[in-house]
Amino acid sequence: MSVVVYKCPHCGASLTFDADRQRWECKFCLGTFDKQTLEAYLASQKETNPDLEKPEEPEQVSAEEYVHEQVDEEFNRNARAYRCPDCGAEIVTDATTAATFCVFCHNPTIIPARLSGEYRPSQVIPFKISKEAAQKAFLNWCKRKPLVPPDFKSKPQLEKITGMYVPFWLYDCSVSATLRANAQKIRRWRSGNYEHTETKYYELYRDGDMSFAGIPADGSSKMEDKTMDLLEPYDYSQMVHFDMSYLSGYLAEKYDVDKEGVWPRVKEKVANDAVAQLMTTAKGSDAVQVTHQEVRIKSRKAHYTLLPVWMLMYKHGDKKYLFAMNGQTGKVVGKLPISIKRAIAWFCGIAAAVFTILFIASGVYYL
């Protein structure tokens, strides 16, 4: 299986996609290229050297050649080894990685076979937030919690923030929804010394057809579904047709949960949203008790796409903490660890301050 590295037309070094400028840049000669320039260069290279379209099959390395007999069987089943086109080192990935880095020369590397056929996304939202902006947002996020361990926001930790294209299924659905409920309208008024209350009871019935577009669900078993849901929404108006060059400089995963696997989650989202839309028509009621609701799916269609996420995994004690950031909008979610030492110091400081205030107040009182 071959790998691809996008080269600079000027010096031949590897290119990475710059989220801030929406251009591909060369770290070596500092050249920058827009999509049209890069496509034109690649087309000219293919004309002069047709073999570029059929890269040479790299030498395959079996697991037995580089692992001990005691290595976990799951690793043997899922690990894949490839040759870096630049330095010749072996790149070891799992079965779902579609874009990665060479650990020796750090060149961004794409594995086209994992982005072809049924695994080829139809669209992608390119990164709009740079790594530097993601690191700054991470530090601002940490400042809100004074009890965060110091090493959690250290410079080495910041360097671990990784941009990843996460596989998502976007569903378009057409539904028919029905809602029945018992509702009340309450009116109160005062007459003289008396307060009157009038309560009217009635049955509420709503029925309607609705269409939903782009309901997202991540297709990676590695990602926490709740975390990915919290990163929504994405601005689909900035979505473009998929091109592998957008992945250069980032990690990328192919889906390992297919569209049928994520459908129950999508269906639940659609049902909740449909009922919520019907409920908005009952705003004039003071109390509503739903007795029956039904959502019928009339049609559905899934689109496979890649969405940008900045991620940082941190282990503190026996627990793992995840920082995640929408790579397009900058929305941040996650859970921060708490330093026990800082918490004790903070508590002692507060207790000492309170004791001092009480002591001074007590002294003034007895004077």
Side-chain angles (χ1 to χ4, degrees):
M1 188 181 296
S2 61
V3 295
V4 170
V5 176
Y6 285 89
K7 298 290 188 178
C8 172
H10 292 167
C11 67
S14 299
L15 295 175
T16 58
F17 181 69
D18 187 332
D20 280 338
R21 304 169 67 183
Q22 294 295 292
R23 295 169 68 90
W24 286 259
E25 65 174 20
C26 175
K27 300 291 186 182
F28 187 79
C29 70
L30 304 182
T32 63
F33 311 92
D34 59 20
K35 185 174 178 60
Q36 291 74 20
T37 302
L38 188 59
E39 287 179 344
Y41 172 74
L42 292 175
S44 65
Q45 289 294 99
K46 288 179 181 179
E47 289 179 1
T48 56
N49 188 0
D51 290 337
L52 288 177
E53 298 186 66
K54 299 178 180 179
E56 182 181 351
E57 188 78 10
E59 179 184 351
Q60 296 297 310
V61 181
S62 64
E64 290 78 7
E65 294 179 31
Y66 59 88
V67 296
H68 300 291
E69 292 181 359
Q70 292 80 14
V71 160
D72 185 73
E73 292 182 1
E74 182 179 356
F75 178 85
N76 288 335
R77 289 196 305 269
N78 296 327
R80 302 290 185 273
Y82 310 97
R83 291 285 186 193
C84 174
D86 278 359
C87 69
E90 288 179 353
I91 302 170
V92 180
T93 72
D94 61 17
T96 59
T97 301
T100 184
F101 297 88
C102 173
V103 295
F104 292 95
C105 66
H106 302 289
N107 276 333
T109 305
I110 300 172
I111 307 172
R114 296 184 180 176
L115 297 167
S116 60
E118 62 178 317
Y119 292 108
R120 182 177 179 82
S122 59
Q123 293 176 305
V124 60
I125 294 181
F127 272 88
K128 302 295 181 181
I129 306 294
S130 66
K131 184 173 184 176
E132 290 74 16
Q135 291 172 333
K136 184 177 180 180
F138 173 75
L139 289 176
N140 291 334
W141 183 58
C142 291
K143 288 179 182 178
R144 302 175 187 174
K145 305 289 183 180
L147 303 182
V148 173
D151 58 338
F152 185 66
K153 48 187 177 181
S154 64
K155 186 174 181 180
Q157 188 72 3
L158 285 175
E159 290 301 320
K160 295 179 182 178
I161 293 180
T162 303
M164 176 181 290
Y165 282 101
V166 178
F168 270 81
W169 292 101
L170 304 183
Y171 264 94
D172 298 336
C173 302
S174 177
V175 306
S176 178
T178 302
L179 174 72
R180 292 184 183 275
N182 294 325
Q184 298 178 20
K185 282 188 177 182
I186 302 173
R187 185 170 72 94
R188 295 183 176 89
W189 72 94
R190 178 176 290 277
S191 177
N193 294 327
Y194 297 93
E195 182 175 328
H196 303 273
T197 300
E198 177 188 72
T199 303
K200 294 182 178 181
Y201 300 88
Y202 60 96
E203 184 180 15
L204 184 70
Y205 175 81
R206 295 290 187 271
D207 184 86
D209 294 331
M210 307 174 205
S211 295
F212 296 88
I215 304 297
D218 70 278
S220 173
S221 60
K222 299 178 184 178
M223 304 298 162
E224 291 185 0
D225 295 339
K226 292 183 179 179
T227 300
M228 294 298 103
D229 290 344
L230 290 173
L231 288 176
E232 300 172 19
Y234 284 87
D235 182 2
Y236 295 150
S237 67
Q238 296 181 340
M239 190 173 288
V240 298
H241 290 295
F242 175 73
D243 190 305
M244 284 195 300
S245 58
Y246 287 110
L247 276 54
S248 187
Y250 300 92
L251 296 182
E253 293 282 312
K254 72 174 186 179
Y255 71 83
D256 60 355
V257 182
D258 63 19
K259 60 184 179 182
E260 295 302 323
V262 305
W263 170 242
R265 291 170 49 207
V266 175
K267 185 178 180 181
E268 183 179 1
K269 287 184 180 182
V270 170
N272 292 338
D273 287 348
V275 172
Q277 289 297 319
L278 293 180
M279 287 291 290
T280 60
T281 65
K283 291 183 177 179
S285 304
D286 296 303
V288 178
Q289 182 181 9
V290 178
T291 58
H292 174 77
Q293 63 184 50
E294 182 180 1
V295 177
R296 299 170 296 279
I297 307 295
K298 297 193 295 184
S299 66
R300 59 185 170 111
K301 184 178 181 181
H303 308 275
Y304 177 41
T305 187
L306 298 180
L307 302 182
V309 178
W310 285 105
M311 302 185 69
L312 173 64
M313 183 69 73
Y314 176 78
K315 187 175 182 180
H316 182 66
D318 296 331
K319 295 183 178 180
K320 291 183 179 180
Y321 298 86
L322 174 67
F323 163 83
M325 179 183 189
N326 185 313
Q328 179 197 37
T329 67
K331 184 179 180 181
V332 171
V333 299
K335 186 178 180 181
L336 288 168
I338 295 177
S339 170
I340 301 300
K341 292 182 179 179
R342 284 197 168 192
I344 293 174
W346 180 81
F347 176 79
C348 292
I350 295 295
V354 172
F355 177 79
T356 302
I357 293 172
L358 292 176
F359 180 80
I360 295 174
S362 175
V364 172
Y365 175 79
Y366 285 111
L367 287 175

